[in-house]
Amino acid sequence: MPAACESLMDDIEDIVSASDPKPHDRQFAKQNVVPRVRKRNKNQVQEEPPADSTIPGTQKIWIRTWGCSHNNSDGEYMAGQLAAYGYGITEHPDQADLWLLNSCTVKSPAEDHFRNSIKKAQEENKKVVLAGCVPQAQPRQEYLKGLSIIGVQQIDRVVEVVEETIKGHSVRLLGQKKDNGKRLGGARLDLPKIRKNPLIEIISINTGCLNACTYCKTKHARGELASYPIEELVDRAKQSFQEGVCEIWLTSEDTGAYGRDIGTDLPTLLWKLVDVIPEGAMLRLGMTNPPYILEHLEEMAKILNHPRVYAFLHIPVQSASDSVLMDMKREYCIADFKRVVDFLKERVPGITIATDIICGFPGETDEDFKETLKLVEEYRFPSLFINQFYPRPGTPAAKMLQVPAHVKKQRTKELSQLFHSYNPYDHKIGQKQQVLVTEESFDHQYYVAHNQCYEQVLVPKDPAFIGKMVEVHIFEAGKHYMKGKPLSDSQVYTPSITKPLEKGKVSGLSEESKTLQNNGASSSGKPAEAHDQAIFQTAWGERRERTVLYILAVLAVLIAFLGLKLFDREVLGN
């Protein structure tokens, strides 16, 4: 569309009024009208809209997500809604008509990648919709001008934003979800979703947090703590298992703070979830800050010892210096962190504690950094996320006196060398372990599994293993993994769950939508990997069938009306 024809609006509400049907309404308004599924001739040529069509719902969309598992869950939800409406979701950016870029604001490099992707999309004349924490936190940045934005709490309306963008409008939807003035956790959990891995369900249990860390930009985007009700989270877990998921990840900006805003807590939620986890499936907890886990150490130890819960916890320390922690406003001291780790290591045999460290925070001295090195040397964390400090715009830490760049770089290098100086898994060679196989390795040479402590174990690529529990013999160990050989006398354990959805299939569709989608896919005679095109054709065919049904309904009304008139005449005539 020529630039002169495009309209720039402050908010999508200027175009879509409250009385207009929402995508969810459109999808489920058909529940009382079930069209008869027609068998199509396999040789029949499918009608497709013209390539330059601007009819919303007929285009292909490429979705790119940066950042945490919470962001990845948001991306899966947006993909699911768009696919359910009829858009084709493609893994090839060059084939897409629109790029949906889901950003992360934690570190400067992630935002740089996001900015470069926007520039590339514009160079290739792609329509663009921006999502995630960057535009939510700073929507008025110069490089975001004139582009459509969907807020982190508004992902349930992504179809509307994409529709208007396809039409050539620039719209923004950045509001907060509230109920009687109280902030809600975000979009509904029962929305359609396309899982990146059909075996793994990511559930955000709350958004935002209670902290005010001086370096954190995410708080500007995600806001204050807002938790989902326990019953909604349990229902989401049940649905996931019914769709063949064998592993659930709980995620949020701080899982430990869950429930404080709604009168409950994390252990209460976890015990409810444990009740619905099938045998052979596993639950993985997300990141929790030390202050909130301190209050529930006894209960958390019991939960982490449960056979269907990974003995794994991500507890970021950031620094081992109390003065640096105070400047960060982390709300705990290093003694608190050690108390949590020591307690859990004593009560949960073999537990994996992952942590984060920031190198070169403003004001960090050589002595402060040495304290951090001592902490890593003492605990030898098997999983350590090392981050060089980057000042984020608008944060208090950005205004503090900065550590010179070369010093930050040197400290990051020194800590990395210490981390790589020890091998955490060498002592496990020769052990027998039960592992759950969930994905393929990056080099496509192995399947990736995890043992009870969520340590990575590589196993042979036998399709019979995927999504199953396997007993293996550990014969090799590296820095980040072990290698396991399946025991000849062991049986592959199948979790008591259904067959997982095919990759790219939409979770949470109504039975009617599934029928239409499967009919479109099967009638085309194309394999599962051509799923994007099948959705494309199904959507186009569904609109055509709806039009025919509408015309037939009108004709039926007219015939009935004329028949009634003739009946009246005959009765009156007699």
Side-chain angles (χ1 to χ4, degrees):
M1 177 176 287
C5 297
E6 294 185 0
S7 61
L8 175 61
M9 310 214 175
D10 288 334
D11 200 289
I12 194 172
E13 310 298 353
D14 295 332
I15 296 176
V16 183
S17 71
S19 60
D20 288 334
K22 303 296 184 290
H24 180 267
D25 301 328
R26 296 170 186 165
Q27 182 182 349
F28 294 101
K30 304 175 292 180
Q31 58 187 355
N32 296 321
V33 181
V34 182
R36 184 174 61 193
V37 178
R38 293 178 299 156
K39 292 185 178 180
R40 300 173 190 255
N41 187 333
K42 289 186 178 181
N43 298 320
Q44 180 180 347
V45 178
Q46 294 289 327
E47 289 185 41
E48 297 184 8
D52 61 349
S53 172
T54 57
I55 301 172
T58 62
Q59 292 77 18
K60 288 190 176 183
I61 297 174
W62 177 61
I63 301 175
R64 171 73 191 275
T65 294
W66 292 265
C68 65
S69 53
H70 193 165
N71 240 28
N72 276 277
S73 177
D74 287 352
E76 291 179 349
Y77 273 124
M78 288 190 282
Q81 291 171 88
L82 291 166
Y85 189 66
Y87 288 100
I89 306 301
T90 179
E91 295 182 0
H92 306 287
D94 56 316
Q95 295 178 7
D97 303 286
L98 181 143
W99 288 10
L100 175 54
L101 305 176
N102 189 18
S103 62
C104 172
T105 192
V106 171
K107 293 188 286 188
S108 298
E111 184 172 350
D112 292 341
H113 286 304
F114 175 60
R115 185 188 294 109
N116 291 337
S117 293
I118 293 173
K119 183 178 179 181
K120 185 175 182 181
Q122 292 170 327
E123 290 173 350
E124 296 184 15
N125 294 318
K126 305 289 185 182
K127 300 285 187 181
V128 183
V129 171
L130 309 179
C133 292
V134 172
Q136 179 73 56
Q138 292 181 291
R140 301 192 184 280
Q141 289 192 83
E142 186 65 29
Y143 72 92
L144 304 180
K145 280 188 176 180
L147 299 176
S148 292
I149 294 174
I150 178 102
V152 295
Q153 280 208 311
Q154 302 289 345
I155 60 170
D156 55 343
R157 297 180 65 183
V158 66
V159 170
E160 294 166 83
V161 175
V162 167
E163 277 190 333
E164 294 304 327
T165 305
I166 292 292
K167 294 174 186 176
H169 302 138
S170 295
V171 294
R172 298 190 171 196
L173 186 58
L174 293 165
Q176 299 290 320
K177 288 189 177 295
K178 294 183 179 181
D179 182 18
N180 294 323
K182 179 178 174 57
R183 185 171 180 268
L184 299 177
R188 296 194 334 271
L189 295 172
D190 61 349
L191 295 169
K193 168 187 272 197
I194 295 180
R195 299 184 185 96
K196 186 176 278 189
N197 183 338
L199 296 171
I200 297 175
E201 166 72 3
I202 306 172
I203 303 178
S204 56
I205 62 175
N206 56 266
T207 63
C209 69
L210 294 173
N211 295 341
C213 301
T214 56
Y215 57 82
C216 183
K217 189 70 179 174
T218 306
K219 181 66 177 277
H220 295 187
R222 298 283 183 180
E224 292 294 325
L225 179 70
S227 305
Y228 286 98
I230 288 178
E231 57 272 17
E232 292 182 18
L233 295 166
V234 172
D235 286 345
R236 182 68 203 181
K238 287 180 179 177
Q239 179 192 329
S240 302
F241 292 127
Q242 289 166 1
E243 294 176 336
V245 163
C246 64
E247 188 171 287
I248 284 184
W249 297 357
L250 300 187
T251 185
S252 77
E253 284 63 62
D254 188 350
T255 58
Y258 170 80
R260 283 172 167 252
D261 56 320
I262 57 174
T264 186
D265 54 41
L266 181 62
T268 302
L269 168 65
L270 295 178
W271 285 124
K272 293 287 187 182
L273 287 172
V274 164
D275 285 342
V276 301
I277 300 174
E279 194 72 30
M282 296 295 292
L283 175 69
R284 192 195 83 171
L285 306 188
M287 185 273 288
T288 179
N289 283 311
Y292 309 112
I293 201 71
L294 269 169
E295 300 178 15
H296 308 296
L297 283 178
E298 290 279 358
E299 282 299 294
M300 290 303 298
K302 292 177 184 177
I303 290 165
L304 291 167
N305 272 308
H306 194 284
R308 292 193 290 276
V309 179
Y310 285 119
F312 167 88
L313 203 57
H314 179 192
I315 314 171
V317 65
Q318 305 302 6
S319 172
S321 165
D322 284 342
S323 63
V324 173
L325 291 175
M326 187 177 297
D327 289 341
M328 290 178 173
K329 286 193 175 180
R330 289 291 288 166
E331 299 183 5
Y332 60 87
C333 61
I334 195 61
D336 294 330
F337 175 80
K338 287 186 172 183
R339 181 184 164 201
V340 171
V341 175
D342 291 343
F343 185 94
L344 293 177
K345 287 174 76 71
E346 178 186 346
R347 302 294 183 92
V348 187
I351 187 173
T352 296
I353 300 291
T355 196
D356 300 2
I357 289 175
I358 296 174
C359 295
F361 186 81
E364 181 187 64
T365 65
D366 288 339
E367 289 302 314
D368 293 328
F369 181 64
K370 286 178 183 177
E371 291 299 316
T372 298
L373 292 174
K374 287 179 185 177
L375 182 77
V376 174
E377 183 66 57
E378 178 182 355
Y379 287 95
R380 292 179 169 251
F381 302 103
S383 183
L384 178 61
F385 302 96
I386 301 170
N387 302 291
Q388 181 177 316
F389 175 75
Y390 291 96
R392 303 299 292 131
T395 62
K399 300 175 184 177
M400 298 177 181
L401 182 62
Q402 303 295 307
V403 172
H406 72 279
V407 176
K408 290 191 289 186
K409 188 174 182 180
Q410 177 58 35
R411 289 177 184 170
T412 303
K413 181 180 179 181
E414 191 174 346
L415 183 58
S416 297
Q417 288 174 341
L418 172 58
F419 173 60
H420 284 92
S421 69
Y422 58 86
N423 294 316
Y425 306 129
D426 284 354
H427 67 287
K428 299 200 173 186
I429 293 177
Q431 290 185 1
K432 293 180 181 179
Q433 297 182 355
Q434 281 282 126
V435 299
L436 178 60
V437 185
T438 55
E439 56 191 314
E440 188 179 48
S441 62
F442 285 117
D443 62 5
H444 307 295
Q445 300 300 307
Y446 302 91
Y447 279 152
V448 178
H450 292 91
N451 60 19
Q452 185 67 35
C453 298
Y454 202 69
E455 295 162 334
Q456 184 169 269
V457 180
L458 303 179
V459 299
K461 277 186 68 176
D462 184 339
F465 295 159
I466 197 73
K468 309 293 195 305
M469 284 278 191
V470 184
E471 189 174 14
V472 299
H473 173 264
I474 303 301
F475 67 91
E476 184 180 328
K479 176 62 182 174
H480 302 286
Y481 65 89
M482 291 170 274
K483 287 185 180 178
K485 181 180 180 181
L487 299 180
S488 58
D489 59 345
S490 68
Q491 291 186 335
V492 176
Y493 184 80
T494 303
S496 55
I497 49 180
T498 59
K499 184 180 178 181
L501 299 176
E502 293 179 16
K503 187 173 177 61
K505 286 286 186 180
V506 182
S507 156
L509 283 181
S510 65
E511 289 304 315
E512 178 197 349
S513 298
K514 287 179 184 176
T515 300
L516 286 169
Q517 192 173 21
N518 291 335
N519 184 56
S522 61
S523 65
S524 66
K526 296 182 180 181
E529 49 265 27
H531 176 64
D532 292 342
Q533 185 64 20
I535 293 178
F536 180 88
Q537 292 173 348
T538 301
W540 184 248
E542 186 179 336
R543 288 184 179 84
R544 188 171 60 249
E545 290 184 8
R546 279 206 301 264
T547 303
V548 172
L549 285 170
Y550 177 77
I551 293 171
L552 289 174
V554 171
L555 287 173
V557 171
L558 287 172
I559 292 169
F561 178 76
L562 291 172
L564 184 61
K565 287 290 186 183
L566 290 171
F567 177 77
D568 288 344
R569 284 184 182 180
E570 186 175 342
V571 171
L572 290 172
N574 292 333

